[in-house]
Amino acid sequence: MSGQQQAHDVLSTLDTARTQLYHFTTIIIAGMGFFTDAYDLFCISLVTKLIGRLYYTIPGSSSPGTLPPNVAAAVSGVAIVGTLMGQLFFGWLGDKMGRKKVYGLTLMMMVMFSVASGLSFGHSPRLVMGTLCFCRFWLGFGIGGDYPLSATIMSEYANKKTRGSFIAAVFAMQGIGILFAGFVTIIIAFIFKHFFPAPPYKDDPVASLPSEADYVWRIILMLGAVPAMLTYYWRLKMPETPRYTALVAQNAAQAAQDMSKVLQVEITTEQATVNGSRVHKQFGLFSAEFVRRHGKHLLGTTSTWLLLDIAFYSQNLFQKDIFSAIGWIPKGSTMSALDELFKIARAQTLIALCGTVPGYWVTVALIDKIGRWWIQIIGFLMMTVFMLALAVPYNHWTTPGNQIGFVIMYGLTFFFANFGPNSTTFIVPAEIFPARLRSTCHGISAAAGKVGAIIGSFGFLYLAQNRDPKKTDHGYPPGIGVQNSLYVLAVCNSLGLIMTFFVPEPKGKSLEELSGENQTNEACTHCNQTLPV
């Protein structure tokens, strides 16, 4: 049966359905998960300096305590490792059991372990850090499931005209989550500063760290549970996506019934059974047929996401170190613990407000006009340009009086990351693979990104250290310095641009056309397409 003959079936009705309230409801339900994901993953970078002061200050030292290298790497990276494993597991489970059945589970894990992260047991550094890492691993595991499930659910409900914008809007909630993490930290730090004033560390090391500061980081981490709890009920009420029900569960009549409830469209029994008469050649993820049809697409989505996240997570998780290196944030010894927390949060919030968040929403506005492929190419290209613009004249940017220019340039790299590959690498894997493998392939692509995030997080932690052993953070070996680290990130971005040529352009096409599921024969013209149309 040709695609033209199937114009009135369930899936075609989805593709041509007008934008309705349920589309926006789905954006909010799925988007609040990403809001929570971003808050939970990135708020830890705001409080690590405070935790270092609380548990690793050496009496009599001229500088405040910092997390030892292995502890800092574990605290920053353990949630990312959990996220990677959750992406693979829940991505696979979402194709086996259905999107709806596992969607609430991921959110419940995020609620439970957000709260548990702030209730880390004991007072000794080893016990507190051990329980914190345990909780953040399982928090990351739940967060990981949200990636393939949210992207797949939104893509399978959307019409083909606005599908890119809808998926991008879900992902854009990540930027709001990063921003919210900064605002919450600023407010809590300000309140505690007001009620528990403290002198700078250099004036009185003990008094600079009031005991009440131990509540601050715990409250910040625990508040990540709130947005997830607000949408849990609505996730449970969502029906299974019509595409999963029709194509994977092979129950087109049920898909039509579910669609009629939520999208206010009427589908006759005759139309509903058309889809059930389709016969698709079944092939598995590890089959030669999958490699022939989608192998280079999976290579493209995994490699570009990996390369992007090396740069993106390096920038996000270690902004405070870069700002300290260029002198935008004063040395820790000149501030109290809560002063330092306040200034770190203020700096990161400013970057998010001016660069990160606008990039996400410009993508929402333009992705269905420009296309995913061009946005990704432009993003990687501009990230490379701005990284080099920071690295080449690095000594100029670190000169007093020039730091504001550095921050503006640095903010532009965030803008083009989000109006670029950070958004498109999330969107495209939810569009180009078959329905029965869509969640799995998105999970694999996202997990490759988290491999990049681990490389960026752990690598940058060491690489960005000063080459002079006397100027490194306590406990760290000499690195290659921030300047050379920026060169490394520029190379990663340029490689991402090259690998984008393996990624197809999904703009304006139905999911079935992109995946080849509207083909009854062996041929799939889309499968050989790598350049945009």
Side-chain angles (χ1 to χ4, degrees):
M1 184 179 293
S2 69
Q4 287 79 9
Q5 291 171 312
Q6 299 161 350
H8 298 291
D9 69 2
V10 173
L11 306 183
S12 294
T13 305
L14 268 175
D15 281 328
T16 57
R18 63 182 175 83
T19 300
Q20 299 173 39
L21 177 62
Y22 191 74
H23 288 122
F24 295 105
T25 303
T26 305
I27 288 172
I28 294 170
I29 295 170
M32 286 307 289
F34 266 89
F35 178 100
T36 306
D37 296 350
Y39 182 97
D40 288 333
L41 284 178
F42 293 110
C43 70
I44 194 68
S45 68
L46 297 168
V47 300
T48 49
K49 290 271 191 180
L50 175 61
I51 295 173
R53 286 198 186 215
L54 283 164
Y55 295 102
Y56 292 94
T57 293
I58 301 172
S61 173
S62 60
S63 59
T66 58
L67 294 179
N70 60 327
V71 177
V75 170
S76 297
V78 70
I80 299 175
V81 174
T83 301
L84 184 159
M85 297 181 69
Q87 287 165 336
L88 293 173
F89 176 74
F90 285 113
W92 168 80
L93 200 63
D95 284 332
K96 291 297 180 184
M97 296 181 60
R99 296 34 163 150
K100 172 184 169 59
K101 289 182 179 179
V102 294
Y103 204 30
L105 177 60
T106 62
L107 202 67
M108 183 51 64
M109 289 188 69
M110 289 156 60
V111 171
M112 289 173 56
F113 288 103
S114 288
V115 174
S117 294
L119 297 176
S120 298
F121 305 117
H123 296 285
S124 69
R126 184 168 183 170
L127 190 55
V128 172
M129 294 299 105
T131 54
L132 177 61
C133 288
F134 174 84
C135 292
R136 285 191 61 79
F137 172 84
W138 290 107
L139 170 64
F141 195 77
I143 288 172
D146 230 47
Y147 276 73
L149 293 172
S150 290
T152 300
I153 285 171
M154 193 69 251
S155 73
E156 291 182 345
Y157 266 115
N159 60 56
K160 63 183 179 181
K161 183 178 179 181
T162 58
R163 186 179 62 238
S165 294
F166 286 167
I167 305 173
V170 169
F171 194 59
M173 292 301 290
Q174 186 181 82
I176 306 298
I178 294 171
L179 191 63
F180 192 75
F183 281 134
V184 166
T185 304
I186 288 171
I187 292 168
I188 292 174
F190 180 82
I191 292 171
F192 273 77
K193 277 176 58 180
H194 176 75
F195 287 102
F196 307 103
Y201 182 88
K202 65 179 182 179
D203 294 340
D204 191 335
V206 176
S208 72
L209 184 60
S211 58
E212 292 81 5
D214 193 46
Y215 295 112
V216 172
W217 70 271
R218 297 175 185 273
I219 292 170
I220 291 168
L221 296 187
M222 291 171 70
L223 284 175
V226 175
M229 286 190 291
L230 294 176
T231 54
Y232 183 72
Y233 171 75
W234 298 105
R235 281 202 180 190
L236 295 183
K237 288 194 66 177
M238 291 181 74
E240 183 56 84
T241 69
R243 280 189 161 91
Y244 182 88
T245 305
L247 289 173
V248 183
Q250 293 292 306
N251 189 346
Q254 182 63 49
Q257 184 180 341
D258 291 342
M259 258 181 62
S260 297
K261 288 179 182 177
V262 298
L263 289 179
Q264 300 175 1
V265 293
E266 291 297 331
I267 303 174
T268 66
T269 303
E270 181 183 5
Q271 289 172 335
T273 56
V274 169
N275 194 61
S277 68
R278 289 183 179 181
V279 177
H280 301 292
K281 181 176 179 181
Q282 300 293 311
F283 53 86
L285 179 65
F286 300 105
S287 67
E289 184 69 13
F290 178 86
V291 173
R292 184 179 73 83
R293 291 181 176 230
H294 299 289
K296 63 184 176 183
H297 299 154
L298 189 58
L299 172 64
T301 58
T302 53
S303 61
T304 53
W305 207 334
L306 183 149
L307 291 161
L308 175 275
D309 272 4
I310 291 176
F312 187 73
Y313 274 79
S314 296
Q315 289 174 263
N316 261 303
L317 291 176
F318 301 105
Q319 285 185 60
K320 61 186 183 300
D321 301 305
I322 291 175
F323 293 150
S324 296
I326 66 168
W328 200 39
I329 295 176
K331 290 185 177 180
S333 60
T334 65
M335 300 177 283
S336 70
L338 293 175
D339 271 335
E340 184 176 42
L341 176 65
F342 179 85
K343 288 176 180 177
I344 289 171
R346 185 178 62 183
Q348 292 196 199
T349 302
L350 181 62
I351 290 292
L353 190 62
C354 297
T356 304
V357 174
Y360 282 110
W361 291 101
V362 171
T363 300
V364 173
L366 297 179
I367 192 165
D368 285 313
K369 297 180 177 65
I370 297 176
R372 292 72 156 149
W373 193 86
W374 277 113
I375 287 178
Q376 187 160 309
I377 285 287
I378 292 168
F380 270 129
L381 176 62
M382 297 307 294
M383 288 174 71
T384 304
V385 168
F386 283 114
M387 284 293 183
L388 291 174
L390 291 173
V392 174
Y394 182 74
N395 291 331
H396 166 78
W397 296 122
T398 55
T399 304
N402 295 330
Q403 291 95 332
I404 297 301
F406 182 98
V407 171
I408 291 171
M409 300 282 280
Y410 192 63
L412 285 169
T413 66
F414 276 101
F415 175 84
F416 282 104
N418 295 303
F419 176 52
N422 192 43
S423 296
T424 54
T425 53
F426 174 80
I427 295 166
V428 173
E431 299 181 294
I432 63 176
F433 297 108
R436 66 185 177 279
L437 298 172
R438 184 169 291 134
S439 180
T440 300
C441 289
H442 194 285
I444 292 170
S445 302
K450 287 301 169 282
V451 171
I454 292 168
I455 294 171
S457 301
F458 286 72
F460 198 83
L461 191 67
Y462 290 89
L463 287 178
Q465 293 297 317
N466 200 293
R467 287 178 290 181
D468 184 348
K470 297 179 181 179
K471 296 181 180 180
T472 62
D473 290 337
H474 181 73
Y476 287 85
I480 62 174
V482 172
Q483 182 179 21
N484 289 326
S485 298
L486 291 171
Y487 280 122
V488 172
L489 298 185
V491 171
C492 291
N493 292 327
S494 61
L495 291 174
L497 187 152
I498 294 169
M499 296 307 295
T500 298
F501 284 85
F502 288 94
V503 180
E505 174 57 80
K507 184 183 75 168
K509 296 181 179 179
S510 72
L511 296 182
E512 289 68 47
E513 183 182 359
L514 287 161
S515 64
E517 288 172 296
N518 63 352
Q519 306 279 333
T520 54
N521 54 21
E522 294 285 327
C524 176
T525 56
H526 156 70
C527 299
N528 295 320
Q529 177 190 338
T530 57
L531 293 178
V533 292

